[in-house]
Amino acid sequence: SSAAMSVSSRPAKVLSGEIERVVLKQPKLRIRIGNRKDTETDLSFINRIPPVDLLVIEKGQITLLFTESMQEIVLNDIDLTVKDFSPEKGGMLMLKAGLEASGNAKKAMNAHGFIQSELNLSSLMPRPIGTGIIHADLTGTSVGNSTFGKSVLDIPLSLEKNRIRIPGADIS
């Protein structure tokens, strides 16, 4: 769902099936991840989005529910910009968001803070493919019996067909 949406484009772009700018205000997306039978999420609507020079999301929210670990991750106050977007070719993604992770105190990660990310995607559907970095500035984190105060993480990553590769991470 989204509180407001605006689309702008020159007539020549529209005739070629492209859009110059789409702005979504306060969209909300909820995704359940886990046993495929119980949590299948239909994201096929992404395939119907035409190529867009600039896709902007203002004050969005994404909730990820991991059913098996009872983990919930909420990205709130999302400011997202995607340049040269298309479902087949991906695009350049820049994200800023608040982070709230919660779940079972013995199994799940609990964290609060802020994340920024830049991803250069060469494909989005059916699976994201590309490279980028995630920067997390966390005010507090706990996993099981371990608790961390203020932490900063820089995580370079590579998204491949069925794998997320993290060549190394910097934690301070």
Side-chain angles (χ1 to χ4, degrees), residues 6-96:
S6 66
V7 178
S8 60
S9 193
R10 293 179 302 217
K13 284 267 193 185
V14 173
L15 292 175
S16 66
E18 296 180 16
I19 297 174
E20 286 184 76
R21 182 179 167 111
V22 174
V23 178
L24 297 172
K25 294 187 180 192
Q26 300 174 340
K28 292 184 180 183
L29 183 61
R30 185 177 182 94
I31 300 172
R32 291 172 49 103
I33 300 170
N35 181 326
R36 270 196 118 134
K37 181 180 176 187
D38 298 333
T39 61
E40 193 73 27
T41 300
D42 183 9
L43 298 176
S44 64
F45 72 91
I46 293 172
N47 287 321
R48 294 189 296 272
I49 298 173
V52 178
D53 292 344
L54 184 63
L55 173 63
V56 177
I57 293 178
E58 298 173 350
K59 301 292 182 196
Q61 180 178 333
I62 296 175
T63 302
L64 300 171
L65 298 169
F66 297 87
T67 59
E68 292 177 18
S69 66
M70 301 302 293
Q71 175 81 53
E72 178 177 281
I73 298 175
V74 178
L75 298 177
N76 52 48
D77 290 326
I78 294 171
D79 286 325
L80 174 87
T81 302
V82 183
K83 294 180 180 177
D84 300 322
F85 168 82
S86 83
E88 301 84 26
K89 297 178 184 175
M92 180 60 159
L93 180 142
M94 290 160 283
L95 166 77
K96 293 180 182 179

Coordinates of all heavy atoms in Angstrom, one line a residue, residues 6-96:
S6 N 3.0 9.6 -7.5 CA 3.0 10.5 -8.6 C 3.9 10.0 -9.7 O 4.9 9.4 -9.4 CB 3.4 11.9 -8.2 OG 4.8 11.9 -7.8
V7 N 3.5 10.2 -10.9 CA 4.2 9.7 -12.1 C 4.4 10.9 -13.0 O 3.4 11.6 -13.3 CB 3.5 8.6 -12.8 CG1 4.2 8.1 -14.0 CG2 3.3 7.4 -11.9
S8 N 5.6 11.1 -13.6 CA 5.8 12.2 -14.5 C 6.7 11.7 -15.7 O 7.6 10.9 -15.4 CB 6.4 13.4 -13.9 OG 7.6 13.1 -13.3
S9 N 6.4 12.1 -16.9 CA 7.2 11.7 -18.0 C 6.8 12.5 -19.2 O 5.6 13.0 -19.3 CB 6.9 10.2 -18.3 OG 7.9 9.7 -19.2
R10 N 7.7 12.7 -20.1 CA 7.4 13.4 -21.4 C 6.7 12.4 -22.3 O 6.8 11.2 -22.2 CB 8.7 13.8 -22.1 CG 9.5 14.9 -21.3 CD 10.7 15.2 -22.0 NE 11.5 14.0 -22.2 CZ 12.8 13.9 -22.1 NH1 13.5 15.0 -21.9 NH2 13.5 12.8 -22.2
P11 N 5.8 12.9 -23.2 CA 5.1 12.1 -24.1 C 5.9 11.1 -24.9 O 5.5 9.9 -25.1 CB 4.3 13.1 -25.0 CG 4.2 14.3 -24.2 CD 5.5 14.3 -23.4
A12 N 7.1 11.5 -25.3 CA 7.9 10.6 -26.1 C 8.3 9.4 -25.3 O 8.4 8.2 -25.8 CB 9.2 11.3 -26.6
K13 N 8.7 9.6 -24.0 CA 9.0 8.4 -23.1 C 7.8 7.5 -22.9 O 8.0 6.3 -23.0 CB 9.5 8.9 -21.8 CG 10.9 9.5 -21.8 CD 11.8 8.4 -21.4 CE 13.2 9.0 -21.1 NZ 14.2 8.0 -20.9
V14 N 6.7 8.1 -22.7 CA 5.5 7.3 -22.5 C 5.2 6.4 -23.7 O 4.8 5.2 -23.6 CB 4.2 8.2 -22.2 CG1 3.0 7.3 -22.1 CG2 4.5 8.9 -20.8
L15 N 5.3 7.0 -24.9 CA 5.0 6.2 -26.1 C 6.0 5.0 -26.3 O 5.7 4.0 -26.9 CB 5.1 7.1 -27.4 CG 4.0 8.2 -27.4 CD1 4.2 9.1 -28.6 CD2 2.6 7.5 -27.5
S16 N 7.2 5.2 -25.8 CA 8.2 4.1 -25.9 C 8.1 3.1 -24.6 O 8.9 2.2 -24.5 CB 9.6 4.6 -26.0 OG 10.0 5.3 -24.8
G17 N 7.1 3.3 -23.8 CA 6.8 2.5 -22.6 C 7.7 2.8 -21.5 O 7.9 1.9 -20.6
E18 N 8.3 4.0 -21.4 CA 9.2 4.3 -20.3 C 8.6 5.5 -19.5 O 7.8 6.3 -20.0 CB 10.6 4.7 -20.8 CG 11.3 3.6 -21.5 CD 12.6 4.0 -22.1 OE1 13.2 5.0 -21.6 OE2 13.2 3.2 -22.9
I19 N 9.1 5.6 -18.3 CA 8.6 6.7 -17.4 C 9.8 7.4 -16.9 O 10.8 6.8 -16.5 CB 7.7 6.2 -16.3 CG1 6.5 5.5 -16.8 CG2 7.4 7.2 -15.3 CD1 5.6 4.8 -15.8
E20 N 9.8 8.7 -16.7 CA 10.9 9.5 -16.2 C 11.0 9.4 -14.7 O 12.1 9.2 -14.2 CB 10.9 10.9 -16.7 CG 11.2 11.1 -18.1 CD 11.2 12.5 -18.6 OE1 12.2 13.2 -18.2 OE2 10.3 13.0 -19.2
R21 N 9.9 9.6 -14.0 CA 10.0 9.7 -12.6 C 8.7 9.1 -11.9 O 7.6 9.5 -12.3 CB 10.2 11.1 -12.2 CG 10.3 11.4 -10.7 CD 10.5 12.9 -10.4 NE 10.3 13.2 -9.1 CZ 11.3 13.5 -8.3 NH1 12.5 13.7 -8.7 NH2 11.1 13.8 -7.0
V22 N 8.9 8.3 -10.9 CA 7.8 7.8 -10.1 C 8.2 8.1 -8.6 O 9.3 7.8 -8.2 CB 7.6 6.3 -10.2 CG1 6.6 5.8 -9.3 CG2 7.2 5.9 -11.7
V23 N 7.3 8.7 -7.9 CA 7.5 8.9 -6.4 C 6.3 8.3 -5.7 O 5.2 8.5 -5.9 CB 7.5 10.5 -6.1 CG1 7.6 10.7 -4.7 CG2 8.6 11.2 -6.9
L24 N 6.7 7.4 -4.7 CA 5.8 6.7 -3.8 C 6.0 7.3 -2.4 O 7.1 7.3 -1.9 CB 6.0 5.2 -3.8 CG 5.8 4.5 -5.1 CD1 6.3 3.0 -4.9 CD2 4.4 4.5 -5.5
K25 N 4.9 7.7 -1.8 CA 5.0 8.3 -0.5 C 4.4 7.3 0.5 O 3.3 6.9 0.3 CB 4.3 9.7 -0.4 CG 5.0 10.7 -1.3 CD 4.5 12.1 -1.1 CE 5.3 13.0 -2.0 NZ 5.1 14.4 -1.7
Q26 N 5.1 7.0 1.6 CA 4.7 6.2 2.7 C 4.2 4.8 2.2 O 3.2 4.3 2.8 CB 3.6 6.9 3.5 CG 4.1 8.2 4.1 CD 3.0 8.9 4.8 OE1 1.9 8.7 4.6 NE2 3.5 9.8 5.7
P27 N 4.9 4.1 1.3 CA 4.4 2.8 0.9 C 4.8 1.8 2.1 O 5.8 2.0 2.8 CB 5.2 2.5 -0.3 CG 6.5 3.2 -0.2 CD 6.1 4.5 0.5
K28 N 4.0 0.7 2.2 CA 4.3 -0.3 3.2 C 4.2 -1.7 2.5 O 3.3 -1.9 1.7 CB 3.2 -0.3 4.3 CG 3.3 1.0 5.1 CD 2.3 0.9 6.3 CE 2.5 2.2 7.1 NZ 1.6 2.2 8.2
L29 N 5.3 -2.5 2.8 CA 5.4 -3.8 2.2 C 5.7 -4.8 3.3 O 6.6 -4.5 4.2 CB 6.5 -3.8 1.1 CG 6.7 -5.1 0.4 CD1 5.5 -5.5 -0.4 CD2 7.9 -4.9 -0.6
R30 N 5.0 -5.9 3.4 CA 5.2 -6.9 4.4 C 5.6 -8.2 3.7 O 4.8 -8.7 2.8 CB 4.0 -7.1 5.2 CG 4.1 -8.0 6.4 CD 2.7 -8.0 7.1 NE 2.8 -8.8 8.3 CZ 3.0 -8.4 9.5 NH1 3.3 -7.1 9.7 NH2 3.0 -9.2 10.5
I31 N 6.7 -8.8 4.0 CA 7.2 -10.1 3.4 C 7.4 -11.1 4.4 O 8.2 -10.9 5.4 CB 8.4 -9.8 2.5 CG1 8.2 -8.7 1.5 CG2 8.9 -11.1 1.9 CD1 9.4 -8.3 0.7
R32 N 6.8 -12.3 4.2 CA 7.1 -13.5 5.1 C 8.1 -14.4 4.4 O 7.9 -14.7 3.3 CB 5.8 -14.2 5.4 CG 4.8 -13.4 6.2 CD 3.4 -14.1 6.3 NE 3.5 -15.5 6.7 CZ 3.3 -16.0 7.9 NH1 2.9 -15.1 8.8 NH2 3.4 -17.2 8.1
I33 N 9.1 -14.8 5.2 CA 10.2 -15.6 4.6 C 10.3 -16.9 5.5 O 10.3 -16.8 6.7 CB 11.5 -14.9 4.6 CG1 11.4 -13.6 3.7 CG2 12.6 -15.8 4.1 CD1 12.6 -12.7 3.8
G34 N 10.3 -18.0 4.8 CA 10.4 -19.3 5.6 C 10.0 -20.4 4.7 O 10.3 -20.4 3.5
N35 N 9.2 -21.3 5.3 CA 8.7 -22.5 4.6 C 8.0 -22.0 3.4 O 7.0 -21.3 3.5 CB 7.8 -23.3 5.5 CG 7.3 -24.5 4.9 OD1 7.0 -24.5 3.7 ND2 7.1 -25.6 5.6
R36 N 8.4 -22.4 2.2 CA 7.8 -21.9 0.9 C 6.3 -22.0 0.9 O 5.6 -21.1 0.5 CB 8.4 -22.6 -0.3 CG 9.6 -21.9 -0.8 CD 9.8 -22.5 -2.2 NE 9.7 -21.4 -3.1 CZ 10.6 -21.2 -4.0 NH1 11.6 -22.0 -4.2 NH2 10.5 -20.2 -4.8
K37 N 5.8 -23.2 1.3 CA 4.4 -23.4 1.2 C 3.5 -22.4 2.0 O 2.5 -21.9 1.6 CB 4.1 -24.8 1.7 CG 2.6 -25.2 1.6 CD 2.4 -26.6 2.2 CE 1.0 -27.0 2.2 NZ 0.7 -28.3 2.8
D38 N 4.0 -22.0 3.2 CA 3.3 -21.1 4.1 C 3.6 -19.7 3.8 O 2.8 -18.8 4.3 CB 3.6 -21.5 5.5 CG 3.2 -22.9 5.9 OD1 2.3 -23.4 5.3 OD2 3.9 -23.4 6.9
T39 N 4.7 -19.4 3.2 CA 5.1 -18.0 3.1 C 5.3 -17.4 1.7 O 5.9 -16.4 1.5 CB 6.4 -17.8 3.9 OG1 7.4 -18.6 3.3 CG2 6.2 -18.1 5.4
E40 N 4.9 -18.1 0.7 CA 5.1 -17.7 -0.7 C 4.6 -16.2 -0.8 O 3.5 -15.9 -0.6 CB 4.4 -18.6 -1.7 CG 4.8 -18.4 -3.1 CD 6.2 -18.9 -3.4 OE1 6.7 -19.9 -2.7 OE2 6.8 -18.4 -4.3
T41 N 5.5 -15.3 -1.2 CA 5.2 -13.9 -1.4 C 5.2 -13.7 -2.9 O 6.2 -13.9 -3.6 CB 6.2 -13.0 -0.7 OG1 6.2 -13.3 0.7 CG2 5.8 -11.6 -0.9
D42 N 4.1 -13.1 -3.4 CA 4.0 -12.8 -4.8 C 4.5 -11.4 -5.1 O 3.8 -10.4 -4.8 CB 2.5 -13.0 -5.3 CG 2.4 -12.8 -6.7 OD1 3.4 -12.7 -7.5 OD2 1.2 -12.7 -7.2
L43 N 5.7 -11.4 -5.6 CA 6.3 -10.1 -6.0 C 6.3 -9.9 -7.5 O 7.0 -9.1 -8.0 CB 7.8 -10.0 -5.5 CG 7.9 -10.1 -3.9 CD1 9.4 -10.1 -3.6 CD2 7.2 -8.9 -3.3
S44 N 5.4 -10.6 -8.2 CA 5.4 -10.6 -9.6 C 5.0 -9.2 -10.1 O 5.2 -8.9 -11.3 CB 4.5 -11.6 -10.2 OG 3.1 -11.4 -9.8
F45 N 4.3 -8.4 -9.3 CA 4.0 -7.0 -9.7 C 5.2 -6.2 -10.1 O 5.1 -5.3 -11.0 CB 3.2 -6.3 -8.6 CG 4.1 -5.9 -7.4 CD1 4.7 -4.6 -7.4 CD2 4.4 -6.7 -6.3 CE1 5.6 -4.3 -6.4 CE2 5.2 -6.4 -5.3 CZ 5.8 -5.1 -5.3
I46 N 6.4 -6.6 -9.6 CA 7.6 -5.9 -10.0 C 7.8 -6.0 -11.5 O 8.3 -5.1 -12.2 CB 8.8 -6.3 -9.2 CG1 8.6 -5.9 -7.7 CG2 10.1 -5.8 -9.8 CD1 9.6 -6.5 -6.8
N47 N 7.5 -7.2 -12.1 CA 7.7 -7.4 -13.5 C 6.8 -6.5 -14.4 O 7.0 -6.3 -15.5 CB 7.4 -8.9 -13.9 CG 8.5 -9.8 -13.4 OD1 9.7 -9.4 -13.5 ND2 8.1 -10.9 -12.9
R48 N 5.7 -6.0 -13.8 CA 4.8 -5.1 -14.5 C 5.2 -3.6 -14.5 O 4.5 -2.8 -15.1 CB 3.4 -5.3 -14.1 CG 2.9 -6.8 -14.4 CD 1.4 -6.9 -14.1 NE 1.0 -6.8 -12.7 CZ 1.0 -7.8 -11.8 NH1 1.4 -9.0 -12.2 NH2 0.6 -7.5 -10.6
I49 N 6.2 -3.3 -13.7 CA 6.6 -1.9 -13.6 C 7.5 -1.6 -14.8 O 8.4 -2.3 -15.1 CB 7.5 -1.7 -12.3 CG1 6.6 -2.0 -11.1 CG2 8.0 -0.2 -12.3 CD1 7.4 -1.9 -9.8
P50 N 7.1 -0.6 -15.6 CA 7.9 -0.2 -16.8 C 9.2 0.4 -16.4 O 9.4 0.8 -15.2 CB 7.0 0.8 -17.5 CG 6.2 1.4 -16.4 CD 6.0 0.4 -15.4
P51 N 10.2 0.4 -17.3 CA 11.4 1.1 -17.0 C 11.2 2.5 -16.5 O 10.4 3.3 -17.1 CB 12.2 1.1 -18.4 CG 11.6 -0.1 -19.1 CD 10.1 -0.1 -18.7
V52 N 12.0 2.9 -15.5 CA 11.8 4.2 -14.9 C 13.2 4.8 -14.7 O 14.1 4.2 -14.2 CB 11.1 4.1 -13.5 CG1 11.0 5.5 -12.8 CG2 9.8 3.5 -13.6
D53 N 13.4 6.1 -15.2 CA 14.7 6.8 -15.0 C 15.0 7.0 -13.6 O 16.1 6.9 -13.1 CB 14.7 8.1 -15.8 CG 14.6 7.9 -17.3 OD1 14.9 6.8 -17.8 OD2 14.3 8.9 -18.0
L54 N 14.0 7.4 -12.8 CA 14.1 7.7 -11.4 C 12.9 7.2 -10.6 O 11.8 7.7 -10.8 CB 14.4 9.2 -11.1 CG 14.7 9.6 -9.7 CD1 16.0 9.0 -9.3 CD2 14.7 11.1 -9.7
L55 N 13.1 6.2 -9.7 CA 12.1 5.7 -8.8 C 12.4 6.2 -7.4 O 13.5 5.9 -6.9 CB 12.0 4.2 -8.9 CG 11.1 3.5 -7.9 CD1 9.7 3.9 -8.1 CD2 11.3 2.0 -8.0
V56 N 11.5 6.9 -6.7 CA 11.8 7.5 -5.4 C 10.7 7.0 -4.4 O 9.5 7.0 -4.7 CB 11.8 9.0 -5.4 CG1 12.0 9.6 -4.0 CG2 12.8 9.5 -6.4
I57 N 11.2 6.5 -3.3 CA 10.3 6.1 -2.2 C 10.6 7.0 -1.0 O 11.8 7.1 -0.6 CB 10.4 4.6 -1.8 CG1 10.0 3.8 -3.0 CG2 9.7 4.3 -0.5 CD1 10.1 2.3 -2.7
E58 N 9.6 7.7 -0.5 CA 9.7 8.6 0.7 C 9.0 8.0 1.9 O 7.8 7.7 1.8 CB 9.2 10.0 0.3 CG 9.9 10.6 -0.8 CD 9.3 11.9 -1.3 OE1 8.2 12.3 -0.8 OE2 9.9 12.6 -2.1
K59 N 9.6 7.9 3.0 CA 9.0 7.5 4.3 C 8.4 6.2 4.2 O 7.3 6.0 4.7 CB 8.1 8.6 4.8 CG 8.7 9.9 5.0 CD 9.6 9.9 6.1 CE 10.2 11.3 6.4 NZ 11.4 11.3 7.2
G60 N 9.0 5.2 3.5 CA 8.4 3.9 3.3 C 8.7 3.0 4.5 O 9.4 3.3 5.4
Q61 N 8.1 1.8 4.5 CA 8.3 0.8 5.5 C 8.3 -0.6 4.9 O 7.4 -0.9 4.1 CB 7.2 0.9 6.6 CG 7.4 -0.1 7.7 CD 6.4 0.0 8.8 OE1 5.9 1.1 9.0 NE2 6.1 -1.1 9.5
I62 N 9.2 -1.4 5.3 CA 9.3 -2.8 4.9 C 9.4 -3.6 6.1 O 10.3 -3.4 7.0 CB 10.4 -3.1 3.9 CG1 10.3 -2.4 2.6 CG2 10.5 -4.6 3.6 CD1 11.5 -2.5 1.7
T63 N 8.5 -4.6 6.3 CA 8.6 -5.6 7.4 C 8.9 -7.0 6.8 O 8.2 -7.5 5.9 CB 7.3 -5.6 8.1 OG1 6.9 -4.3 8.6 CG2 7.3 -6.6 9.3
L64 N 10.0 -7.5 7.3 CA 10.4 -8.9 6.9 C 10.2 -9.8 8.1 O 10.7 -9.6 9.2 CB 11.9 -9.0 6.6 CG 12.4 -8.1 5.4 CD1 13.9 -8.1 5.3 CD2 11.8 -8.6 4.1
L65 N 9.4 -10.9 7.9 CA 9.1 -11.8 9.0 C 9.7 -13.1 8.6 O 9.4 -13.7 7.6 CB 7.6 -12.0 9.1 CG 6.8 -10.8 9.5 CD1 5.3 -11.1 9.4 CD2 7.1 -10.4 11.0
F66 N 10.7 -13.6 9.4 CA 11.3 -14.9 9.2 C 10.6 -15.9 10.1 O 10.8 -15.9 11.3 CB 12.8 -14.8 9.6 CG 13.6 -13.9 8.7 CD1 13.6 -12.6 9.0 CD2 14.2 -14.4 7.5 CE1 14.3 -11.7 8.2 CE2 14.9 -13.5 6.7 CZ 15.0 -12.1 7.0
T67 N 9.7 -16.7 9.5 CA 8.8 -17.6 10.3 C 9.5 -18.6 11.1 O 9.1 -18.9 12.2 CB 7.8 -18.3 9.4 OG1 8.5 -19.0 8.4 CG2 6.9 -17.2 8.7
E68 N 10.6 -19.2 10.6 CA 11.2 -20.3 11.4 C 12.0 -19.8 12.6 O 12.0 -20.5 13.6 CB 12.1 -21.1 10.4 CG 11.3 -21.9 9.4 CD 12.1 -22.6 8.4 OE1 13.3 -22.9 8.7 OE2 11.6 -23.0 7.4
S69 N 12.6 -18.6 12.5 CA 13.4 -18.1 13.6 C 12.6 -17.1 14.5 O 13.1 -16.6 15.5 CB 14.7 -17.5 13.2 OG 14.4 -16.3 12.4
M70 N 11.4 -16.8 14.0 CA 10.5 -15.9 14.7 C 11.2 -14.5 14.8 O 11.0 -13.7 15.7 CB 10.1 -16.3 16.1 CG 9.4 -17.7 16.1 SD 7.8 -17.6 15.1 CE 6.9 -16.5 16.1
Q71 N 12.0 -14.2 13.7 CA 12.7 -12.9 13.6 C 11.8 -11.9 12.8 O 11.2 -12.3 11.8 CB 14.0 -13.1 12.9 CG 14.8 -11.9 12.6 CD 15.6 -11.4 13.8 OE1 16.3 -12.1 14.4 NE2 15.4 -10.1 14.2
E72 N 11.8 -10.7 13.3 CA 11.1 -9.6 12.5 C 12.1 -8.5 12.4 O 12.7 -8.0 13.3 CB 9.9 -9.1 13.3 CG 9.1 -8.0 12.5 CD 7.9 -7.6 13.2 OE1 6.8 -8.3 13.1 OE2 7.9 -6.6 13.9
I73 N 12.2 -8.0 11.1 CA 13.1 -6.9 10.8 C 12.2 -5.8 10.1 O 11.6 -6.1 9.1 CB 14.3 -7.3 9.9 CG1 15.1 -8.3 10.6 CG2 15.1 -6.0 9.5 CD1 16.3 -8.9 9.7
V74 N 12.2 -4.6 10.7 CA 11.4 -3.5 10.2 C 12.4 -2.4 9.7 O 13.2 -2.0 10.5 CB 10.4 -3.0 11.2 CG1 9.7 -1.8 10.6 CG2 9.5 -4.1 11.7
L75 N 12.3 -2.1 8.5 CA 13.0 -0.9 8.0 C 12.0 0.2 7.9 O 10.9 0.1 7.2 CB 13.6 -1.1 6.6 CG 14.6 -2.3 6.5 CD1 15.1 -2.4 5.0 CD2 15.8 -2.0 7.4
N76 N 12.2 1.3 8.7 CA 11.2 2.4 8.7 C 11.8 3.7 8.2 O 13.0 3.8 8.1 CB 10.6 2.5 10.1 CG 11.6 2.6 11.2 OD1 12.5 3.4 11.1 ND2 11.5 1.8 12.2
D77 N 10.9 4.6 7.9 CA 11.4 5.9 7.4 C 12.3 5.8 6.3 O 13.4 6.4 6.1 CB 12.0 6.8 8.5 CG 11.0 7.3 9.5 OD1 9.9 7.5 9.1 OD2 11.4 7.4 10.7
I78 N 12.0 4.8 5.4 CA 12.8 4.5 4.2 C 12.8 5.7 3.2 O 11.8 6.1 2.8 CB 12.3 3.2 3.5 CG1 12.5 2.0 4.4 CG2 13.1 3.0 2.2 CD1 11.8 0.8 3.9
D79 N 14.0 6.1 2.9 CA 14.2 7.0 1.7 C 15.0 6.2 0.7 O 16.2 5.8 1.0 CB 14.9 8.3 2.1 CG 14.0 9.2 2.9 OD1 12.8 9.2 2.6 OD2 14.5 9.9 3.8
L80 N 14.4 5.9 -0.4 CA 15.1 5.0 -1.4 C 15.0 5.7 -2.8 O 14.0 6.3 -3.1 CB 14.3 3.7 -1.5 CG 14.7 2.7 -2.6 CD1 15.8 1.8 -2.1 CD2 13.5 1.9 -3.0
T81 N 16.1 5.6 -3.4 CA 16.2 6.2 -4.8 C 16.8 5.1 -5.7 O 17.8 4.5 -5.3 CB 17.2 7.4 -4.9 OG1 16.7 8.4 -4.0 CG2 17.2 8.0 -6.3
V82 N 16.1 4.8 -6.8 CA 16.6 3.9 -7.8 C 16.7 4.6 -9.1 O 15.8 5.1 -9.6 CB 15.7 2.6 -7.9 CG1 16.3 1.6 -8.9 CG2 15.5 2.0 -6.6
K83 N 18.0 4.6 -9.7 CA 18.2 5.3 -11.0 C 18.2 4.2 -12.0 O 18.8 3.1 -11.8 CB 19.5 6.0 -11.0 CG 19.5 7.2 -10.0 CD 20.8 7.9 -10.0 CE 20.7 9.1 -9.1 NZ 22.0 9.8 -9.0
D84 N 17.6 4.5 -13.2 CA 17.6 3.6 -14.4 C 17.1 2.2 -14.0 O 17.7 1.2 -14.3 CB 19.0 3.5 -15.0 CG 19.5 4.8 -15.4 OD1 18.7 5.6 -15.9 OD2 20.8 5.1 -15.2
F85 N 15.9 2.2 -13.4 CA 15.2 1.0 -13.0 C 14.5 0.2 -14.1 O 13.9 0.9 -14.9 CB 14.2 1.3 -11.9 CG 13.3 0.1 -11.6 CD1 13.8 -0.9 -10.7 CD2 12.1 -0.1 -12.2 CE1 13.0 -2.0 -10.5 CE2 11.3 -1.2 -11.9 CZ 11.8 -2.2 -11.0
S86 N 14.7 -1.1 -14.1 CA 13.8 -2.0 -14.9 C 13.9 -3.3 -14.2 O 14.9 -3.7 -13.6 CB 14.2 -2.0 -16.3 OG 15.2 -3.0 -16.6
P87 N 12.8 -4.1 -14.2 CA 12.8 -5.4 -13.6 C 14.0 -6.3 -14.1 O 14.6 -7.1 -13.4 CB 11.5 -6.0 -13.9 CG 10.6 -4.9 -14.2 CD 11.5 -3.8 -14.8
E88 N 14.2 -6.2 -15.4 CA 15.2 -7.1 -16.0 C 16.7 -6.6 -15.7 O 17.6 -7.4 -15.5 CB 15.1 -7.2 -17.5 CG 13.7 -7.7 -18.0 CD 12.7 -6.7 -18.0 OE1 13.0 -5.5 -18.2 OE2 11.5 -7.0 -17.9
K89 N 16.9 -5.3 -15.8 CA 18.2 -4.7 -15.7 C 18.6 -4.2 -14.3 O 19.7 -3.7 -14.1 CB 18.4 -3.6 -16.7 CG 18.3 -4.1 -18.1 CD 18.4 -3.0 -19.1 CE 18.2 -3.5 -20.5 NZ 18.2 -2.4 -21.5
G90 N 17.6 -4.2 -13.4 CA 17.9 -3.7 -12.0 C 18.0 -2.2 -12.0 O 17.1 -1.5 -12.4
G91 N 19.1 -1.7 -11.6 CA 19.4 -0.2 -11.5 C 20.3 0.1 -10.3 O 20.8 -0.8 -9.6
M92 N 20.6 1.4 -10.1 CA 21.5 1.8 -9.0 C 20.6 2.2 -7.9 O 19.8 3.1 -8.0 CB 22.3 3.0 -9.5 CG 23.2 3.5 -8.5 SD 24.4 2.2 -7.9 CE 25.7 3.1 -7.2
L93 N 20.7 1.5 -6.8 CA 19.8 1.7 -5.6 C 20.6 2.4 -4.5 O 21.7 1.9 -4.1 CB 19.3 0.3 -5.2 CG 18.4 0.2 -4.0 CD1 17.4 -0.8 -4.3 CD2 19.1 -0.1 -2.7
M94 N 20.0 3.4 -3.9 CA 20.5 4.1 -2.7 C 19.4 4.1 -1.6 O 18.3 4.5 -1.9 CB 21.0 5.5 -3.0 CG 22.2 5.5 -3.9 SD 22.5 7.0 -4.8 CE 21.3 6.8 -6.1
L95 N 19.8 3.6 -0.5 CA 18.8 3.4 0.6 C 19.3 4.0 1.9 O 20.5 3.9 2.3 CB 18.5 1.9 0.8 CG 17.8 1.5 2.1 CD1 16.3 1.8 1.9 CD2 18.0 0.0 2.4
K96 N 18.4 4.7 2.6 CA 18.6 5.1 4.0 C 17.4 4.8 4.8 O 16.2 5.0 4.3 CB 18.8 6.7 4.1 CG 20.1 7.1 3.4 CD 20.2 8.7 3.5 CE 21.4 9.1 2.8 NZ 21.6 10.6 2.9

